[in-house]
Amino acid sequence: MGELDQYLFGQGTHYEIYKKMGAHFVKDGKKSGVYFTVWAPHARSVSVIGEFNGWSEDANVMKRQEPLGIYTAFVPEAQLGQLYKYCIETQTGDKLYKADPFANSAELRPGTASRIADISHLKWSDSVWMKHRAEWDFHSSPISIYEAHIGSWMRHPGREDEGFYSYREFAHAATDYIKKMGYTHIELMGISEYPFDGSWGYQVTGYYAPTSRYGTPEDFAYMINYFHKNKIGVILDWVPAHFPRDAHGLADFDGTATFEYADPKKGEHPDWGTKIFDYGKAEVKNFLIANALFWIEHYHIDGLRVDAVASMLYLDYGKEDGQWIANKYGSNENLEAIEFFKHLNSVTTGRNPGALMIAEESTAWPKVTGKPEDDGLGFSLKWNMGWMHDFTEYMKLDPYFRKGDHYGMTFALTYAYSENYILVLSHDEVVHLKCSMLNKMPGLGFEKFANLKVGYAFMMGHPGKKLLFMGQDFGQLREWSEARELDWYLLAEPEHQALQNFYRDLLHLYTHNKAMYEQDTCMEGFEWVNADDSSRSIYSFIRHSKGAKKNLLFVCNFTPIERPEYRVGVPRGKQYRLVLNSDELQYGGSGKARPAVYKAKKQECDGRPYSFGYDLPPYGVAVFEF
């Protein structure tokens, strides 16, 4: 660990610190071995213990480097794959046995040791993808994300272990599914190493290690490479908001608050029982920013979905009066977290054009996707939690009562262009007694499926990128659980297969029509035809491509009532070609024969000079191209 390395780490700007910290194979003179480096500024002493020295606390005592309190040791006997920890003697004489914060691999739970790995020679053959990514403009491109949890997507039946798919097996199976369906990206939950399956990966102990549940770092790299070769982007969930109290993790790392704020009013989440990173400490900021770069640059990840952003921005998040400390201006914004985000997003996207930084942020905080130089946070995209709430509340209503909440579905258009949004129906919406998407729907049998189809069509037509959690595209009945695979057997049932067919064709309609995505962030891309038909709960709107070369007209009926010759106003006396009809047999509809083309007449409707009539079925969706 050279003087320049220490200086940059102390400034918070050593963006490749992971190449220095942790365990790395090196040659020291004629000897080769492993060089261990750990930051423990308030430790009395540190030694590295492991399989290479019989877990002896005296065999490999580490040297302290000032001024930062970094400890180093060269161990010629250490071998690839061996387990190790740091034995940290605190100022009070206690001994802590900690996993390596910078370890590149970890022992499978319930074990808690780090594992010596060598990730300096990973094999990549995705140069075409990486070149494309650097030139890619996400604003005007389709993004439809398949959110997945590897451990519960699919499992091997009858095995004595948990039957998890390995990273390599998942790569092949998920790629086949994603390509068939038409998603552009996969977002993976819970990749950084974590001890408790029930946390889904949101309570991390190994920020620099892909979880060993599904294989080795080489297996993980193979998966990313395979997705890229099949033109599928990869997004990881990333958790810089908090970390668990597990004894082997980051909490009180050297016997003091090292990675977290020292004052529990700033450094602890009462609701979650976790610790909050100290965003004012240069070394902690460096740990996190370098970690984001590690995934994007070393593992070729295409984007990070940053979890629980609101909990970082607000000092009083999840806290009662007396449980938090105001900032120097007497308000509740975490000024250090704000600066952290500006630094993080400037560096990650500045160094990696085309990489996405996505905020899961649930409040009305301004300029989340604004530029840092304009006092924005610098994210590429933001989850639209407001739209998700309004959408699910409307969809749960009995159709008779939807007319009373008609404008709940149109409200999101009043702020749709204030940020770069992703419309999300994520794992959070199908757990904790919230029901699966299908079972949120009112009615029985056919009605549930028909409701969900019209809801999905409305979502796909609405401005914003798209995200759907696994299982919801074929109508998973049970809530999601990390402890079992999805109920794939449901696809043997015609109605589940029909729903999957419909969502598949919605995805293909989305990715193959520029009108659906290239003007997502400007008002020119969307136009209401009739947003006020509350008595019949019907919405009609147009998605415009640039230059109006090819546009799409959506008509969505949210009641079980058929509307013969439903008249819709259109801008020109042209022909309108039916390109998606939810009443087809393959979608579970009646299969009624319909004209392929409709000629608009000079007849005023919806405040427009031209219109045409269409037999709109119960819960019907019709999309026309013109």
Side-chain angles (χ1 to χ4, degrees), residues 12 16 53 107 111 122 135 193 267 370 481 572:
E16 296 181 357
N53 63 15
E107 185 181 13
L122 298 174
E135 299 165 352
E193 192 60 84
S481 168
R572 290 184 286 283

Side-chain angles (χ1 to χ4, degrees), residues 363-388:
T363 74
W365 188 281
K367 297 185 180 180
V368 171
T369 57
K371 294 179 180 179
E373 54 267 34
D374 296 331
D375 208 27
L377 297 182
F379 283 97
S380 316
L381 294 158
K382 173 182 170 172
W383 276 22
N384 195 335
M385 310 294 276
W387 172 86
M388 178 277 300

